[in-house]
Amino acid sequence: MNDPRIRPVPAPGAPIAEADLHAYADGCLPAARRTEVETFLASHPQDRARVETWQAQRRALHALLDPVLDEPLPLRLPLRPPPRRMPWRALAAAAAAAVVSAGAAWLARGELDARRALAAQSQAAAVPHYAQRAAVAYAVYAPDRGRPVEVPGSQEQSLVAWLTRRLGAPVRAPSLGAVGYELVGGRLLPGGAGPVALFMYGAPDGRRLTLYVTREATGGDAAFRFTREGPVNVFYWVEGPFGYALSGAVSREELQRVSQEVYRQLSPG
Amino acid sequence: MRDDEARIVACIPSLRRYARGLTGDPHRADDLVQDTLERAWSRYSRWQRRGDLRAWMFGIMHNRYIDGLRASARRAEDSPPEGLPEVPVRASQADGLEMRDLDRCLQALPPEQRTVLLLIGVEELSYQQTAQALDVPLGTVMSRLSRARERLAALMQGREPVNRLQRVK
């Protein structure tokens, strides 16, 4: 509008300019002007060919790029403004502090006392070490926005093959889309005496859950158990050669809902 | 405020589409989208409904993209002048030869022409919104659009060699 050659609403009867031809190709001329341009193009085949080329370009570019619109949004894209107090970091710090104090207590009071303390948290039995390690792994990796996993979920097959090879038994990553979580990816971790697999899942709102898979769980008890380490809730159970622990800073009900789906998919038959 | 948040989120698919066309590479495109969103979330309280939201978002992306080009131009001073492109040339969604060809020709356009061609031809911004997003006069938008369309036609018809990218044998 600050350029006299451009008339966003061209005056009727004004000579046809190249800007009119582009606006015609882009479908943004008012009806009266469009008719004038059509009349012009009918008697100017060269200009008509140019306009048709531009329209073909538009269609081809849409065909090339429109499929992007249907792709799921990558998890790393922030879908809401960052909260002021960075609760994820606070949460991780709190969980880490809880773990450190538990460790200090263990050193100070000896294993027996520590076991009593842990047993008090879970009335059924002492919380196995792997469930605690699972909570720590969650607290360390889930808040990591930059590199939460070693292998992304897009390479699920190679991730699963790699973890299966390292753990020496067939590991599977359950598919949790139906309960609102997608696989972010996974990594290998040191357990108490050997390798452990960690899968991470994310919800569209940024919440994350981790599934810890270890061969160090003993006792063939397939019961579902619950424990809490600071802000991190954990459901854990033993199935076949593996101990599983699903951890998250989500409500117990939410975690149980997802755990049941994981259990359903990973139990044989 | 919730409404504005929803409107920003609603822009994301088209921001991703635009970034894909702009960079020709899915990973670089999403880096750009992530960068743009972070910037947008930290500033949207200042936007306060002044002007068109899409033009504002595409404007942020344009600035981030230009900053990125400048940074890589500085890095490129240390690399061989006829160096290979930083990322292998490949089709984004395309599997057909024609699509690959179009993608290659698109990437061979000068960035300022590619920008205008995509904002108008794919994102359906008006000429006025495009001028606002790029912070240039309307006449500049029109002349870039015109040159972009002629150049793309010439490249697609093989009248002009695609010399900015190495051909992969």
Side-chain angles (χ1 to χ4, degrees):
Chain A
M1 278 173 250
N2 41 12
D3 185 329
R5 288 170 304 166
I6 310 299
R7 297 171 306 278
V9 183
I16 304 293
E18 182 170 331
D20 290 312
L21 300 184
H22 284 286
Y24 176 81
D26 291 319
C28 52
L29 281 180
R33 189 64 174 170
R34 192 166 65 234
T35 311
E36 289 179 10
V37 172
E38 273 163 7
T39 309
F40 172 85
L41 291 177
S43 57
H44 293 77
Q46 276 195 321
D47 288 309
R48 193 174 66 224
R50 286 171 73 207
V51 168
E52 283 168 1
T53 302
W54 302 339
Q55 289 171 326
Q57 287 175 355
R58 287 177 57 101
R59 286 191 298 272
L61 288 171
H62 270 290
L64 175 70
L65 296 169
D66 283 356
V68 178
L69 295 178
D70 297 326
E71 293 174 4
L73 298 183
L75 284 163
R76 61 177 164 132
L77 298 184
L79 303 185
R80 55 178 57 179
R84 289 201 191 100
R85 287 189 58 244
M86 306 291 284
W88 276 101
R89 285 193 189 164
L91 199 64
V99 166
V100 167
S101 56
W106 187 86
L107 286 172
R109 289 185 277 163
E111 193 177 4
L112 192 66
D113 284 356
R115 282 213 174 142
R116 277 195 199 120
L118 292 167
Q121 287 177 20
S122 163
Q123 289 160 357
V127 177
H129 288 125
Y130 80 87
Q132 293 172 289
R133 288 199 187 97
V136 179
Y138 175 86
V140 170
Y141 292 110
D144 196 318
R145 293 284 128 179
R147 197 168 175 79
V149 294
E150 279 177 297
V151 180
S154 55
Q155 296 168 32
E156 182 178 337
Q157 278 193 327
S158 50
L159 169 67
V160 167
W162 171 54
L163 294 175
T164 292
R165 196 170 64 244
R166 294 302 310 271
L167 265 68
V171 176
R172 282 195 295 150
S175 155
L176 300 180
V179 287
Y181 293 85
E182 296 298 334
L183 183 66
V184 177
R187 61 166 70 237
L188 193 69
L189 294 177
V196 167
L198 186 76
F199 293 110
M200 189 172 300
Y201 292 85
D205 64 3
R207 281 189 294 184
R208 284 174 171 172
L209 301 178
T210 55
L211 179 65
Y212 187 92
V213 185
T214 174
R215 297 195 69 181
E216 294 167 9
T218 48
D221 179 7
F224 239 39
R225 300 198 189 282
F226 176 77
T227 186
R228 180 192 299 264
E229 297 281 341
V232 182
N233 285 334
V234 184
F235 270 101
Y236 60 96
W237 66 95
V238 175
E239 177 70 57
F242 294 121
Y244 296 98
L246 187 73
S247 312
V250 299
S251 71
R252 181 176 175 155
E253 293 71 30
E254 169 70 358
L255 196 65
Q256 181 162 12
R257 186 178 73 90
V258 181
S259 298
Q260 281 165 348
E261 179 60 22
V262 174
Y263 179 80
R264 195 183 64 75
Q265 289 189 29
L266 296 178
S267 56
Chain B
M1 286 309 244
R2 287 273 149 193
D3 267 8
D4 290 343
E5 287 184 26
R7 290 176 63 207
I8 287 177
V9 170
C11 284
I12 296 176
S14 58
L15 286 171
R16 292 187 71 235
R17 174 174 63 180
Y18 173 59
R20 188 77 60 92
L22 204 55
T23 63
D25 177 83
H27 298 293
R28 280 173 62 205
D30 279 326
D31 284 347
L32 187 57
V33 175
Q34 184 176 1
D35 206 9
T36 301
L37 284 172
E38 281 163 4
R39 197 50 83 96
W41 287 128
S42 70
R43 294 187 169 191
Y44 86 114
S45 58
R46 273 187 271 162
W47 165 64
Q48 290 175 335
R49 298 167 192 273
R50 282 192 302 263
D52 183 81
L53 178 70
R54 291 186 79 213
W56 180 72
M57 296 285 291
F58 282 109
I60 294 175
M61 179 168 280
H62 175 70
N63 291 334
R64 304 311 296 159
Y65 175 64
I66 294 298
D67 287 351
L69 284 185
R70 287 193 185 125
S72 59
R74 279 197 298 275
R75 282 197 301 276
E77 284 166 9
D78 299 330
S79 53
E82 297 288 312
L84 287 162
E86 283 186 19
V87 289
V89 182
R90 60 169 162 170
S92 46
Q93 286 296 308
D95 24 37
L97 271 176
E98 277 177 34
M99 287 296 194
R100 274 208 290 280
D101 212 34
L102 174 61
D103 204 15
R104 206 163 46 90
C105 294
L106 183 64
Q107 299 310 317
L109 292 178
E112 69 275 8
Q113 292 181 16
R114 190 160 62 241
T115 303
V116 170
L117 189 69
L118 291 171
L119 286 180
I120 291 170
V122 180
E123 301 311 326
E124 316 280 348
L125 261 60
S126 70
Y127 300 160
Q128 193 64 52
Q129 286 172 319
T130 305
Q132 186 193 330
L134 305 181
D135 197 23
V136 296
L138 198 51
T140 306
V141 170
M142 294 310 295
S143 59
R144 285 181 187 173
L145 178 65
S146 173
R147 284 199 300 264
R149 284 177 163 161
E150 295 306 325
R151 185 86 189 272
L152 184 62
L155 289 167
M156 292 295 288
Q157 289 166 18
R159 280 187 273 130
E160 209 178 303
V162 181
N163 53 11
R164 287 186 65 245
L165 298 176
Q166 301 274 345
R167 285 172 191 276
V168 180
K169 286 177 185 165

